[in-house]
């Protein structure tokens, strides 16, 4: 079991870039067999997978968000980072980071989530 904690600004203006950081403890993002994932939740769409960076550094993105999504990592801090560019009010959501266990094919652990509002 690992622990995850999201951090970042709660308010972003339209057209700007949203940046969120997930800090992982209890397991290494480079040695654990996990896909380190970002998921968001809105009333209209429910839970929406955004993308992930695997333990080997390979990234995966939702086709609908790929053009403006970037996931990276800082291995020295055991963190992975979400960047979502050109945000609109439709990007207002609760954003979660989660650890997807590749061998078990399920989301093993979740952060508590952080609400991000896109508004001018």
């Amino acid at each position: 079991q690992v622990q995850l904690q999201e951090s970042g600004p709660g308010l972003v203006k339209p057209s700007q870039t949203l940046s969120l950081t997930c800090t992982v403890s209890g397991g290494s993002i480079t040695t654990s067999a996990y896909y380190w994932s970002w998921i968001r939740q809105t009333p209209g769409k429910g839970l929406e997978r955004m993308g992930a960076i695997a333990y080997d550094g390979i990234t995966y993105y939702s086709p609908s968000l790929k053009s403006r999504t970037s996931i990276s990592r800082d291995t020295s801090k055991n963190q992975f980072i979400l960047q979502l560019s050109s945000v609109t009010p439709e990007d207002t959501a609760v954003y979660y980071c989660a650890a997807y266990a590749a061998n078990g094919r399920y989301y093993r652990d979740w952060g508590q989530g952080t609400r991000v509002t896109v508004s001018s």
Side-chain angles (χ1 to χ4, degrees):
Q1 182 178 353
V2 297
Q3 296 80 47
L4 303 95
Q5 178 67 60
E6 304 90 348
S7 62
L11 179 64
V12 184
K13 293 183 177 181
S15 81
Q16 293 185 340
T17 296
L18 166 65
S19 182
L20 297 173
T21 297
C22 184
T23 301
V24 178
S25 60
S28 172
I29 63 172
T30 62
T31 60
S32 298
Y34 289 128
Y35 291 77
W36 306 98
S37 306
W38 287 99
I39 304 159
R40 67 182 183 181
Q41 183 174 26
T42 63
K45 294 184 177 181
L47 292 173
E48 179 183 19
R49 298 177 181 180
M50 302 184 70
I53 184 165
Y55 61 93
D56 58 2
I58 302 298
T59 53
Y60 305 85
Y61 300 104
S62 168
S64 63
L65 296 170
K66 183 177 181 179
S67 65
R68 57 192 187 99
T69 304
S70 177
I71 298 174
S72 58
R73 64 183 182 175
D74 184 338
T75 58
S76 68
K77 298 180 179 179
N78 213 38
Q79 296 176 330
F80 61 103
I81 300 100
L82 170 71
Q83 292 184 301
L84 182 66
S85 65
S86 303
V87 298
T88 74
E90 296 299 310
D91 294 310
T92 295
V94 177
Y95 286 77
Y96 297 90
C97 56
Y100 181 84
N103 57 358
R105 297 177 294 175
Y106 75 115
Y107 289 98
R108 179 67 176 86
D109 300 292
W110 294 68
Q112 67 180 16
T114 185
R115 179 172 295 278
V116 178
T117 299
V118 179
S119 176
S120 60

